[in-house]
Structures are given as structure tokens and as C-alpha cells.
Amino acid sequence: ILPVLRFPDERLRTVAKPVSNFTPELQEIIDNMVETMYAEHGIGLAATQVDVHEQIIVIDVSEDKSQLYVIINPEVISQEGETGIEEGCLSIPDCRGFVPRSEKIKIKALDRNGNPYEIDADELLAICIQHEMDHLKGKLFVDYLSPLKRQRIEQKMRKLTREEQKNR
Ligand SMILES: O=C(O)C[C@@H](Cc1ccccc1)[C@H](O)SCc1ccccc1
Ligand SMILES: [Zn+2]
């Protein structure tokens, strides 16, 4: 299980580079991300969140961990409509904020073996893909909130991190 970077850690603002080599190390990173996502009860995780700055996303919005997507070097083909929910983030624990998203999104990506494929998503999968693709661009859901709300969340996170360090 990998440690998840916590807002406002500046490393979360790093823009991820495309994956160029499909090595055993990459497979190890993917397996560790999947394990971390499930352990933290997330439905998605971007490599940026575990301080790996390559374009790797894992997603599973199913109830029974039966629909794992490994999404490498994603590109948006098309998107339409408008939707949004109160989003959360494993890097911003116990905080929620409404984020406007496209209702449907079609992306092109590579799977864990480097084979190209497409995902035509709607509902929670579409929202999750957009949330994770933002992470790869160093963007967080708090960036869509008002400065006041973002500042409150930043203070809450700093306090949480300080307390955790005291308890060590
Ligand atoms: O930090 C992450 O990227 C994991 C996110 C993914 C996500 C956030 C908002 C909306 C969809 C996906 C979450 O922490 S996973 C936890 C969760 C589960 C269901 C709904 C909202 C948040
Ligand atoms: Zn997130």
C-alpha cells in the first residue's frame, strides 16, 4: 500500500508525463495503485497521488471490485452534457465539494500492456475519469470551489497533518 499525498502538498500540482516504457516496474506501480485504491475505499486513484508523475490511472466504480480499469496516457475524444456531484478525494480526506463535469465522456487510452482502447462513459464512471484526469494535470476538486471554501479546506488539512505528526 502506497502513502497518498495530502493537499496542500505541492507535489499534487505536478503535471504527469506520458508513460513511454511498459516495464515490470510499471506493472508493480499499477498493482500497488490498485491495492492502495481498494484499501483506501476509493473508486479511483491517479499516479500523481502516490507521488509517481506518469499518466497512470486506476478506476473501479463497481460495488464488488469487478470492474477495474487501468488507464494509461488518456486522451479525451469527445464529451457532452453537464452533470456534477459532491466530490471527495483520497488526498483531501473528509471534505466534499460540488464540481461541474461533462455528463458523458469518450476517451482513448492504453491498457497495462500498452494496447490502445476506448472508454465511452457516463454517470459515476464519467465523473471519476474526469476527476482522475484532472489529477494528472495537477488539478484538484478544491480548485473549482470558492477561495473561501478552498482556504477552509486547506486549514482543515494542515491541522489534520499537524495532529498526525504529533501522534507519531
Ligand atoms: O482521490 C481520488 O481520486 C479518489 C476519488 C475518486 C472520485 C472522487 C469524486 C467522484 C468520483 C470519484 C474518491 O475519493 S473515491 C471516494 C468516493 C467514492 C464515491 C463517490 C465519491 C467519492
Ligand atoms: Zn482525487
Side-chain angles (χ1 to χ4, degrees):
I1 295 181
L2 302 170
V4 175
L5 296 179
R6 177 172 299 154
F7 177 73
D9 191 315
E10 273 308 304
R11 290 171 290 181
L12 285 167
R13 299 305 187 174
T14 312
V15 176
K17 292 185 176 60
V19 169
S20 42
N21 305 315
F22 287 75
T23 62
E25 286 74 31
L26 175 70
Q27 301 309 321
E28 177 82 19
I29 290 168
I30 293 167
D31 293 341
N32 287 340
M33 284 177 64
V34 172
E35 186 190 28
T36 302
M37 174 181 69
Y38 286 139
E40 302 292 344
H41 309 293
I43 54 174
L45 189 69
T48 311
Q49 295 178 272
V50 290
D51 205 16
V52 170
H53 302 293
E54 293 188 72
Q55 293 175 17
I56 309 163
I57 289 169
V58 294
I59 290 180
D60 187 343
V61 298
S62 71
E63 300 292 319
D64 57 353
K65 301 184 184 178
S66 60
Q67 301 278 321
L68 176 65
Y69 288 95
V70 175
I71 299 172
I72 294 174
N73 301 348
E75 291 168 45
V76 176
I77 295 174
S78 63
Q79 42 192 15
E80 64 173 82
E82 289 174 18
T83 184
I85 62 169
E86 286 282 304
E87 297 193 8
C89 184
L90 295 177
S91 296
I92 313 177
D94 306 324
C95 295
R96 289 272 190 270
F98 181 85
V99 179
R101 298 285 188 190
S102 300
E103 188 181 6
K104 294 182 179 0
I105 187 166
K106 189 172 183 180
I107 64 165
K108 183 161 74 81
L110 302 179
D111 67 14
R112 63 186 303 157
N113 303 310
N115 302 313
Y117 73 109
E118 293 186 0
I119 305 178
D120 211 342
D122 60 2
E123 312 228 332
L124 187 55
L125 180 58
I127 291 174
C128 191
I129 287 171
Q130 293 171 76
H131 177 106
E132 304 308 337
M133 286 183 73
D134 270 357
H135 272 302
L136 298 183
K137 290 180 278 190
K139 209 164 165 53
L140 298 167
F141 83 78
V142 293
D143 301 338
Y144 296 89
L145 310 181
S146 70
L148 182 67
K149 202 152 176 344
R150 181 164 52 250
Q151 194 192 29
R152 283 207 188 113
I153 289 175
E154 181 163 335
Q155 281 156 1
K156 184 177 168 185
M157 289 299 103
R158 288 185 188 280
K159 191 164 175 292
L160 183 66
T161 304
R162 257 198 325 271
E163 271 154 15
E164 277 176 357
Q165 273 148 4
K166 255 192 292 175
N167 297 342
R168 290 170 76 127

